Amino acid sequence: MTAERWAARAVQDAEQLATPLARGVHQAVCAEIARRRGDLPAAQQLAERALTHMAPRAWGVALGLPLSVLVAVHTARGHTERAGEHLSWSVHPEMYQTLYGLHYLQARGRHHLAVGQYAAALRDFRSCEDRVRAWGLAPPVLAPWRLGQAEAALALGDRSEARRLTESELNQARGRHPHVRAAHLRVYARLVDRSRRREVLTDAAELVAGGRDRYEHFLILTDLSRAHQEADDTARARVTGQQAWHSAVRCGAERLARTLLPESAVTAGEEIPVMPRQRLNTAMLSEAELRVAELAAAGETNREISGKLFITVSTVEQHLTRVYRKLRLSGRADLRACLATKAGVGAGVPEHCAPGA
């Protein structure tokens, strides 16, 4: 991602991160990057670290960025009460007139959706619309609030408005971006006849399969599993549900998955024996070794881990060798059984976003 490259360049110039605010904002930006690629544990970890650099009041309007990440991440992971706690924090009124406020409103709107406060969600997404239009921002920035507005309208029973919003996005050039298009197709699938629902969701799943947003992949597969069930295709429903569950594990959304996919959570647990992470002596691993181990357990290849953590493939191999030796594991299969269903999976933090960076 372009944002990741710029984040790495910022660290190379130490003077740019000389103040607590600069370091805090940098880690908050890294947290937002992790959230957008569907790495929810890493996003939470980075946002919490960002807030350690100084007191909340010292952040000023910039407090909206780490707060919005934490609200969005806790909501996505199914911890709506923790998201609510962060929404209770006092923020500067002028924050709402900045891009930080736009992030905050979007996160708050998604929290309202998650807890069933649909009218409040719609107000927040419309506030985003008002600001975006007043500021004359580029079209791609519109996608997040349009998606949320469509979901809120659908939840309120206004199917015509939800259809108008989703079709508008899908018909525009920005809607052709794989992630944006997949998210809108997921909502659009709820508006079409049941006979077409599986086709639409299958197209959406293909757009994000192997992509960087595992959370969206989880949501789409969950809806696709339900669509198969509605069509009395129980075999496909079960397989797709298990795929959705494993996607949830990889992005750290197990709690939400247990609510949305209770049967898949049970069957997936039966198929993959899991050793509770607390029984592992992971304290003997260095932070770098643990990051590599978690990504490997989540199914990442050595090359993928190398690219995500900005280290060489050889370094990845060396870290894994030490992990296997220290934990007395025979390979990746054992590592996955030990770590794959824990919240830390996928929480790989790039070197330039690590503590002290």
Side-chain angles (χ1 to χ4, degrees), residues 15-328:
E15 292 183 0
Q16 292 187 24
L17 301 179
T19 66
L21 178 59
R23 290 192 293 272
V25 169
H26 177 262
Q27 289 207 322
V29 169
C30 288
E32 176 64 9
I33 292 171
R35 185 193 69 81
R36 292 194 180 201
R37 70 176 179 229
D39 195 344
L40 303 180
Q44 178 181 333
Q45 184 182 40
L46 286 163
E48 289 172 346
R49 288 178 186 169
L51 291 173
T52 65
H53 288 286
M54 46 188 192
R57 286 189 178 182
W59 277 79
V61 298
L63 180 63
L65 183 55
L67 269 188
S68 67
V69 172
L70 287 171
V71 171
V73 166
H74 286 312
T75 300
R77 300 187 74 178
H79 298 280
T80 54
E81 63 287 339
R82 296 185 65 182
E85 290 173 4
H86 283 98
L87 285 172
S88 69
W89 286 32
S90 177
V91 295
H92 198 290
E94 292 185 6
M95 181 200 71
Y96 293 100
Q97 305 307 318
T98 70
L99 287 176
Y100 300 124
L102 197 63
H103 285 285
Y104 185 84
L105 285 170
Q106 290 169 359
R108 192 174 71 182
R110 300 221 66 85
H111 176 261
H112 286 320
L113 275 177
V115 298
Q117 297 173 353
Y118 306 129
L122 193 58
R123 285 195 297 271
D124 278 342
F125 294 128
R126 283 177 174 168
S127 292
C128 291
E129 176 183 10
D130 293 341
R131 285 162 173 75
V132 165
R133 288 182 174 176
W135 299 338
L137 293 179
V141 180
L142 303 180
W145 67 258
R146 278 192 181 274
L147 179 66
Q149 196 171 4
E151 290 179 284
L154 184 58
L156 289 168
D158 192 347
R159 295 176 64 85
S160 61
E161 176 66 2
R163 181 182 288 272
R164 183 189 70 80
L165 287 163
T166 53
E167 289 182 345
S168 173
E169 284 297 309
L170 291 170
N171 289 332
Q172 298 208 28
R174 60 179 174 274
R176 299 192 185 106
H177 185 282
H179 167 74
V180 174
R181 187 169 183 81
H184 282 86
L185 282 173
R186 172 172 56 81
V187 177
Y188 186 65
R190 304 175 197 173
L191 299 165
V192 301
D193 294 336
R194 288 188 177 184
S195 60
R196 290 190 56 207
R197 192 164 299 163
R198 291 196 291 177
E199 177 186 352
V200 173
L201 288 169
T202 298
D203 289 344
E206 289 177 354
L207 286 171
V208 292
R212 304 194 70 175
D213 191 342
R214 296 168 179 170
Y215 184 71
E216 185 61 43
H217 193 223
F218 151 60
L219 294 179
I220 292 170
L221 289 178
T222 297
D223 284 1
L224 182 56
S225 177
R226 291 173 173 171
H228 285 316
Q229 194 68 50
E230 291 174 353
D232 293 325
D233 192 341
T234 55
R236 287 188 180 180
R238 183 175 185 274
V239 171
T240 306
Q242 290 174 357
Q243 292 173 342
W245 168 257
H246 292 308
S247 290
V249 168
R250 295 185 71 189
C251 70
E254 298 99 320
R255 179 172 180 176
L256 181 61
R258 288 190 183 95
T259 300
L260 300 179
L261 298 160
E263 294 182 1
S264 297
V266 171
T267 56
E270 291 173 349
E271 293 177 2
I272 302 179
V274 176
M275 181 186 300
R277 182 170 177 175
Q278 56 266 31
R279 290 173 55 189
L280 293 174
N281 189 11
T282 53
M284 67 176 63
L285 301 182
S286 69
E287 184 176 349
E289 289 168 350
L290 184 57
R291 289 201 301 270
V292 169
E294 290 177 331
L295 287 170
E300 302 280 355
T301 66
N302 288 357
R303 186 168 297 280
E304 288 171 338
I305 296 171
S306 168
K308 182 169 285 188
L309 300 183
F310 299 91
I311 58 179
T312 66
V313 173
S314 176
T315 300
V316 173
E317 294 171 348
Q318 293 172 27
H319 282 326
L320 285 175
T321 298
R322 287 193 290 270
V323 168
Y324 298 150
R325 184 180 67 250
K326 290 180 179 181
L327 300 183
R328 298 181 181 180

